[in-house]
PDB file of all heavy atoms in Angstrom:
ATOM      1  N   CYS T 899      -4.222  43.635  26.126  1.00 90.00           N
ATOM      2  CA  CYS T 899      -4.067  44.516  24.941  1.00 90.00           C
ATOM      3  C   CYS T 899      -2.634  44.457  24.407  1.00 90.00           C
ATOM      4  O   CYS T 899      -2.410  44.287  23.210  1.00 90.00           O
ATOM      5  CB  CYS T 899      -4.364  45.981  25.274  1.00 90.00           C
ATOM      6  SG  CYS T 899      -6.029  46.317  25.598  1.00 90.00           S
ATOM      7  N   PHE T 950      -8.627  58.224  21.094  1.00 90.00           N
ATOM      8  CA  PHE T 950      -9.582  57.292  21.683  1.00 90.00           C
ATOM      9  C   PHE T 950      -9.301  55.841  21.199  1.00 90.00           C
ATOM     10  O   PHE T 950      -9.727  54.906  21.834  1.00 90.00           O
ATOM     11  CB  PHE T 950     -11.022  57.652  21.329  1.00 90.00           C
ATOM     12  CG  PHE T 950     -11.559  58.767  22.198  1.00 90.00           C
ATOM     13  CD1 PHE T 950     -11.705  60.045  21.708  1.00 90.00           C
ATOM     14  CD2 PHE T 950     -11.914  58.501  23.500  1.00 90.00           C
ATOM     15  CE1 PHE T 950     -12.178  61.067  22.513  1.00 90.00           C
ATOM     16  CE2 PHE T 950     -12.375  59.494  24.300  1.00 90.00           C
ATOM     17  CZ  PHE T 950     -12.522  60.784  23.798  1.00 90.00           C
ATOM     18  N   PRO T 953      -5.239  52.081  23.203  1.00 92.00           N
ATOM     19  CA  PRO T 953      -5.574  51.495  24.493  1.00 92.00           C
ATOM     20  C   PRO T 953      -4.848  52.122  25.691  1.00 92.00           C
ATOM     21  O   PRO T 953      -5.415  52.251  26.761  1.00 92.00           O
ATOM     22  CB  PRO T 953      -5.145  50.022  24.346  1.00 92.00           C
ATOM     23  CG  PRO T 953      -4.968  49.793  22.896  1.00 92.00           C
ATOM     24  CD  PRO T 953      -4.742  51.089  22.248  1.00 92.00           C
ATOM     25  N   TYR T 956      -6.625  54.858  27.823  1.00 94.00           N
ATOM     26  CA  TYR T 956      -7.530  54.510  28.906  1.00 94.00           C
ATOM     27  C   TYR T 956      -6.772  54.025  30.135  1.00 94.00           C
ATOM     28  O   TYR T 956      -7.119  54.341  31.262  1.00 94.00           O
ATOM     29  CB  TYR T 956      -8.525  53.430  28.431  1.00 94.00           C
ATOM     30  CG  TYR T 956      -9.241  53.856  27.174  1.00 94.00           C
ATOM     31  CD1 TYR T 956      -8.959  53.256  25.962  1.00 94.00           C
ATOM     32  CD2 TYR T 956     -10.157  54.863  27.239  1.00 94.00           C
ATOM     33  CE1 TYR T 956      -9.613  53.661  24.822  1.00 94.00           C
ATOM     34  CE2 TYR T 956     -10.826  55.289  26.100  1.00 94.00           C
ATOM     35  CZ  TYR T 956     -10.562  54.678  24.889  1.00 94.00           C
ATOM     36  OH  TYR T 956     -11.200  55.091  23.766  1.00 94.00           O
ATOM     37  N   TRP T 975     -15.443  53.508  35.425  1.00 94.00           N
ATOM     38  CA  TRP T 975     -16.064  52.484  34.559  1.00 94.00           C
ATOM     39  C   TRP T 975     -16.034  52.799  33.079  1.00 94.00           C
ATOM     40  O   TRP T 975     -15.871  51.874  32.273  1.00 94.00           O
ATOM     41  CB  TRP T 975     -17.433  52.064  35.063  1.00 94.00           C
ATOM     42  CG  TRP T 975     -18.506  53.129  34.911  1.00 94.00           C
ATOM     43  CD1 TRP T 975     -18.900  54.011  35.830  1.00 94.00           C
ATOM     44  CD2 TRP T 975     -19.292  53.385  33.734  1.00 94.00           C
ATOM     45  NE1 TRP T 975     -19.845  54.828  35.339  1.00 94.00           N
ATOM     46  CE2 TRP T 975     -20.128  54.464  34.045  1.00 94.00           C
ATOM     47  CE3 TRP T 975     -19.334  52.811  32.456  1.00 94.00           C
ATOM     48  CZ2 TRP T 975     -20.989  55.013  33.155  1.00 94.00           C
ATOM     49  CZ3 TRP T 975     -20.240  53.352  31.529  1.00 94.00           C
ATOM     50  CH2 TRP T 975     -21.066  54.437  31.895  1.00 94.00           C
ATOM     51  N   PRO T 976     -16.159  54.075  32.646  1.00 94.00           N
ATOM     52  CA  PRO T 976     -16.121  54.289  31.195  1.00 94.00           C
ATOM     53  C   PRO T 976     -14.769  53.845  30.605  1.00 94.00           C
ATOM     54  O   PRO T 976     -14.707  53.180  29.579  1.00 94.00           O
ATOM     55  CB  PRO T 976     -16.327  55.783  31.028  1.00 94.00           C
ATOM     56  CG  PRO T 976     -16.868  56.240  32.301  1.00 94.00           C
ATOM     57  CD  PRO T 976     -16.372  55.346  33.377  1.00 94.00           C
ATOM     58  N   GLN T 977     -13.669  54.182  31.324  1.00 94.00           N
ATOM     59  CA  GLN T 977     -12.360  53.777  30.833  1.00 94.00           C
ATOM     60  C   GLN T 977     -12.167  52.291  30.821  1.00 94.00           C
ATOM     61  O   GLN T 977     -11.612  51.717  29.944  1.00 94.00           O
ATOM     62  CB  GLN T 977     -11.252  54.435  31.686  1.00 94.00           C
ATOM     63  CG  GLN T 977     -10.980  55.877  31.407  1.00 94.00           C
ATOM     64  CD  GLN T 977     -11.916  56.818  32.213  1.00 94.00           C
ATOM     65  OE1 GLN T 977     -12.902  56.350  32.831  1.00 94.00           O
ATOM     66  NE2 GLN T 977     -11.592  58.087  32.221  1.00 94.00           N
ATOM     67  N   VAL T 978     -12.679  51.668  31.900  1.00 95.00           N
ATOM     68  CA  VAL T 978     -12.562  50.205  32.015  1.00 95.00           C
ATOM     69  C   VAL T 978     -13.275  49.558  30.845  1.00 95.00           C
ATOM     70  O   VAL T 978     -12.810  48.641  30.203  1.00 95.00           O
ATOM     71  CB  VAL T 978     -13.117  49.707  33.362  1.00 95.00           C
ATOM     72  CG1 VAL T 978     -13.111  48.188  33.412  1.00 95.00           C
ATOM     73  CG2 VAL T 978     -12.294  50.273  34.506  1.00 95.00           C
ATOM     74  N   LEU T 979     -14.481  50.045  30.572  1.00 95.00           N
ATOM     75  CA  LEU T 979     -15.288  49.491  29.477  1.00 95.00           C
ATOM     76  C   LEU T 979     -14.568  49.647  28.149  1.00 95.00           C
ATOM     77  O   LEU T 979     -14.487  48.695  27.362  1.00 95.00           O
ATOM     78  CB  LEU T 979     -16.622  50.222  29.451  1.00 95.00           C
ATOM     79  CG  LEU T 979     -17.841  49.392  29.063  1.00 95.00           C
ATOM     80  CD1 LEU T 979     -18.013  48.239  30.053  1.00 95.00           C
ATOM     81  CD2 LEU T 979     -19.078  50.261  29.009  1.00 95.00           C
ATOM     82  N   ALA T 980     -13.985  50.846  27.946  1.00 95.00           N
ATOM     83  CA  ALA T 980     -13.289  51.079  26.692  1.00 95.00           C
ATOM     84  C   ALA T 980     -12.059  50.189  26.579  1.00 95.00           C
ATOM     85  O   ALA T 980     -11.795  49.589  25.501  1.00 95.00           O
ATOM     86  CB  ALA T 980     -12.846  52.540  26.627  1.00 95.00           C
ATOM     87  N   LEU T 981     -11.329  50.023  27.671  1.00 94.00           N
ATOM     88  CA  LEU T 981     -10.159  49.168  27.661  1.00 94.00           C
ATOM     89  C   LEU T 981     -10.542  47.732  27.360  1.00 94.00           C
ATOM     90  O   LEU T 981      -9.893  47.039  26.597  1.00 94.00           O
ATOM     91  CB  LEU T 981      -9.450  49.289  29.032  1.00 94.00           C
ATOM     92  CG  LEU T 981      -8.044  48.709  29.091  1.00 94.00           C
ATOM     93  CD1 LEU T 981      -7.154  49.439  28.144  1.00 94.00           C
ATOM     94  CD2 LEU T 981      -7.504  48.817  30.511  1.00 94.00           C
ATOM     95  N   LEU T 982     -11.648  47.307  27.982  1.00 95.00           N
ATOM     96  CA  LEU T 982     -12.120  45.936  27.738  1.00 95.00           C
ATOM     97  C   LEU T 982     -12.445  45.762  26.250  1.00 95.00           C
ATOM     98  O   LEU T 982     -12.076  44.766  25.656  1.00 95.00           O
ATOM     99  CB  LEU T 982     -13.361  45.692  28.610  1.00 95.00           C
ATOM    100  CG  LEU T 982     -13.826  44.259  28.722  1.00 95.00           C
ATOM    101  CD1 LEU T 982     -12.818  43.461  29.533  1.00 95.00           C
ATOM    102  CD2 LEU T 982     -15.200  44.180  29.375  1.00 95.00           C
ATOM    103  N   GLY T 983     -13.116  46.749  25.698  1.00 94.00           N
ATOM    104  CA  GLY T 983     -13.465  46.695  24.259  1.00 94.00           C
ATOM    105  C   GLY T 983     -12.186  46.600  23.409  1.00 94.00           C
ATOM    106  O   GLY T 983     -12.090  45.708  22.554  1.00 94.00           O
ATOM    107  N   CYS T 984     -11.195  47.453  23.695  1.00 93.00           N
ATOM    108  CA  CYS T 984      -9.927  47.424  22.968  1.00 93.00           C
ATOM    109  C   CYS T 984      -9.288  46.027  23.088  1.00 93.00           C
ATOM    110  O   CYS T 984      -8.865  45.413  22.111  1.00 93.00           O
ATOM    111  CB  CYS T 984      -8.942  48.454  23.502  1.00 93.00           C
ATOM    112  SG  CYS T 984      -9.296  50.115  23.009  1.00 93.00           S
ATOM    113  N   GLY T 985      -9.198  45.574  24.336  1.00 92.00           N
ATOM    114  CA  GLY T 985      -8.510  44.305  24.629  1.00 92.00           C
ATOM    115  C   GLY T 985      -9.130  43.181  23.841  1.00 92.00           C
ATOM    116  O   GLY T 985      -8.476  42.400  23.169  1.00 92.00           O
TER     117      GLY T 985
END
Side-chain angles (χ1 to χ4, degrees):
C899 290
F950 280 106
Y956 305 109
W975 70 264
Q977 283 87 348
V978 174
L979 216 59
L981 193 61
L982 193 69
C984 284

